[in-house]
Amino acid sequence: MTLYDLAAPLYGIWAALVETRAHRAAAQVVAMHPGHHLLEVAVGPSLQFGMSPPVFHFLRVVGIDLSMPMLKRARRHLTSSQAWLCQADARALPFGPESFDAVLNCFMIDLLSEGDIPVVLQEFSRVLRSGGRLVLLTMAEQKPAFQWLWMALYRRAPFLVGGCRPLDAGAWLRKLGWKVEQENLVSQMGFRSMLTVAQPPPSVLA
């Protein structure tokens, strides 16, 4: 059983306190780039677009999560017949190349090891169609005192901060050849999130 299996009943409380503003910002971006197929990776306790108007821009919405308890909670909130949920690992997505017009990933990349980050980003680029977009939410660098405290806990007892740490997603994407279109800082209750929008590397689009 993973940390997020255990945290499933409580994760929604944390998200409501510090992540809802960032989720709304991500929803607005996705709504600006409608398509046919949307993949949400790491849905957590509720599929973002299984319950919100932007889903109607898409013929199919697929949500995946590695944690079965998270998926069970997400299914309780699912209100759209256009959305499907399944258990899957972001490091090996069970979809063919160019299957989706958009990939949404909220607060997962910043949990990964440095070795897994490029693997997951490669999987995102593989399943995106030409002209598709990746919409990422990550933990941003915090104000100095909060950053120091968070990182001290992360180094000594990472489970106390959910295994999450600030991550420069834009830098990772640029390093791997993605075209970063947008980077917006979103703050809620003093917690800073980064919204990043990017297109896959040209070699993937070719």
Side-chain angles (χ1 to χ4, degrees), residues 180-198:
V180 176
E181 298 181 331
Q182 183 177 334
E183 292 177 281
N184 289 342
L185 191 66
V186 183
S187 181
Q188 182 177 344
M189 297 285 289
F191 183 86
R192 293 176 171 180
S193 304
M194 182 64 70
L195 170 62
T196 307
V197 183

Side-chain angles (χ1 to χ4, degrees), residues 6-7 11-12 34 46 48 56 63 91 109 112 130 140 144 168 178 194 201:
L6 296 171
Y11 183 77
S46 60
Q48 172 91 342
F56 298 110
R91 294 167 296 188
I109 289 286
L112 301 178
S130 177
D168 189 342
W178 291 68
M194 182 64 70

Side-chain angles (χ1 to χ4, degrees), residues 76-116:
R76 297 175 194 169
H77 296 102
L78 195 62
T79 59
S80 172
S81 61
Q82 295 166 264
W84 292 266
L85 294 172
C86 65
Q87 187 177 29
D89 191 328
R91 294 167 296 188
L93 295 173
F95 310 107
E98 301 187 5
S99 296
F100 297 94
D101 300 289
V103 172
L104 170 68
N105 181 233
C106 301
F107 303 106
M108 184 202 78
I109 289 286
D110 42 23
L111 302 173
L112 301 178
S113 69
E114 292 198 355
D116 281 340

Side-chain angles (χ1 to χ4, degrees), residues 125-193:
S125 69
R126 182 182 65 81
V127 300
L128 272 171
R129 291 175 177 163
S130 177
R133 283 172 174 80
L134 170 64
V135 180
L136 271 180
L137 286 176
T138 54
M139 181 181 180
E141 185 172 344
Q142 306 298 307
K143 292 183 179 179
F146 188 20
Q147 175 87 359
W148 180 88
L149 177 60
W150 189 283
M151 291 307 298
L153 290 172
Y154 177 78
R155 294 186 187 100
R156 290 168 175 78
F159 66 91
L160 291 177
V161 291
C164 176
R165 82 289 196 189
L167 182 79
D168 189 342
W172 274 99
L173 289 163
R174 292 184 181 94
K175 179 181 178 181
L176 296 171
W178 291 68
K179 179 183 178 182
V180 176
E181 298 181 331
Q182 183 177 334
E183 292 177 281
N184 289 342
L185 191 66
V186 183
S187 181
Q188 182 177 344
M189 297 285 289
F191 183 86
R192 293 176 171 180
S193 304

